[in-house]
Amino acid sequence: MRFEAYLFAGVAVFFGVMGGIYDWFAREPAGKAALAIAFLMSALISVFFFVQYRRHGTRAQDRREAAVAETAGPLEFFAPHSWYPPLTAAGAAVLALGMVFGVWLMLIGAGIALAGTVGFVFQYAGRGA
């Protein structure tokens, strides 16, 4: 995943440089926020890929002389079923409705979304790596 990490690092550098140039010339908050968020999201993906590369090492896809057969077999653990994606989606929907109807509904939606997200993260935490 080294190539992917460098690719997203390049995208992050691009958004960072463009954000600095935009900040210098525009002095407008919406564009600065959009470029800053784009920089942070691409930097997050780049860091994730760097961590995966450090954890798992070089893949067969990273080598030019690798055969297609080397990539066969199980890749990683994937959850067979989970109730947390619908719970998180319902929480996000209630949170969005709370922005329309009031803070009380928004807080309920944030609680539901937080419960779904925590469940997502820790559902298979004790599985072992």
Side-chain angles (χ1 to χ4, degrees):
M1 296 215 168
R2 185 175 50 190
F3 174 76
E4 292 89 346
Y6 286 133
L7 178 72
F8 278 99
V11 171
V13 167
F14 171 78
F15 280 125
V17 170
M18 289 299 115
I21 292 171
Y22 188 85
D23 183 43
W24 179 263
F25 288 109
R27 306 265 187 237
E28 188 262 327
K32 286 193 276 189
L35 287 169
I37 289 172
F39 166 75
L40 290 173
M41 288 192 305
S42 56
L44 175 71
I45 294 170
S46 176
V47 168
F48 172 77
F49 283 146
F50 272 123
V51 168
Q52 293 302 311
Y53 171 69
R54 300 274 295 177
R55 182 184 294 170
H56 298 292
T58 304
R59 301 175 302 168
Q61 293 93 336
D62 294 331
R63 297 189 324 264
R64 289 193 182 273
E65 68 277 355
V68 175
E70 291 182 49
T71 62
L75 296 176
E76 192 60 53
F77 173 75
F78 296 103
H81 55 79
S82 176
W83 286 101
Y84 292 112
L87 183 64
T88 305
V94 172
L95 194 139
L97 286 173
M99 291 181 190
V100 175
F101 292 112
V103 176
W104 62 273
L105 190 58
M106 198 163 94
L107 292 174
I108 293 171
I112 295 170
L114 180 67
T117 303
V118 169
F120 247 140
V121 171
F122 295 111
Q123 182 176 13
Y124 294 103
R127 183 183 71 80

